[in-house]
Amino acid sequence: MSFRIRKEDRVLVISGKSQDKGKAGKVLRVYPSTDKAIVENINFITQHKRTRDPQKPGGRITREAPVHLSKLMLICPKCNQPTRVGAKVVEDKTRVRVCKKCGADI
Ligand SMILES: [Zn+2]
């Protein structure tokens, strides 16, 4: 299912932690092997980092954790609505995504 969401897409969080649900963000990275993606400003986790190197600061760092693709819905750049994605194979055998709401190729 990983073709449905790609880097640079805008996505809506449809389930998950309450603070992220309903938020939209840009996909920064997709991990096809685990069907997860990093979404900008979504699913922040705090890591407590210890370091033995005195040159590097330790302490708490926050970063985005991967979100399962099933919790994300693509926002169509054409009609600007969260949508399911269909697939269409065009003549040169490349697969294009199709918005199920407005029918546009994405
Ligand atoms: Zn659309």
Side-chain angles (χ1 to χ4, degrees):
M1 67 186 280
S2 62
F3 81 94
R4 292 172 191 277
I5 304 245
R6 290 178 190 160
K7 197 178 163 190
E8 303 291 318
D9 281 343
R10 269 178 64 73
V11 292
L12 178 74
V13 180
I14 52 173
S15 66
K17 285 192 225 164
S18 55
Q19 77 248 36
D20 289 333
K21 199 169 169 181
K23 277 199 206 168
K26 190 174 81 171
V27 176
L28 302 178
R29 191 168 173 187
V30 179
Y31 301 94
S33 57
T34 52
D35 280 338
K36 287 183 173 180
I38 300 272
V39 185
E40 193 173 41
N41 295 325
I42 300 293
N43 202 29
F44 270 111
I45 55 163
T46 304
Q47 289 188 323
H48 299 269
K49 197 173 186 180
R50 255 176 249 124
T51 174
R52 277 177 231 136
D53 185 347
Q55 300 298 318
K56 286 181 191 162
R60 285 146 45 112
I61 54 163
T62 54
R63 64 177 181 89
E64 290 101 337
V67 182
H68 198 266
L69 295 182
S70 64
K71 294 179 178 174
L72 303 174
M73 200 170 222
L74 181 71
I75 297 173
C76 172
K78 300 273 162 51
C79 64
N80 212 29
Q81 291 186 75
T83 182
R84 287 165 53 82
V85 177
K88 183 170 82 174
V89 177
V90 289
E91 287 147 30
D92 60 357
K93 302 231 166 65
T94 50
R95 194 161 52 173
V96 296
R97 300 182 302 174
V98 179
C99 170
K100 293 224 172 167
K101 286 225 167 102
C102 70
D105 294 354
I106 305 171

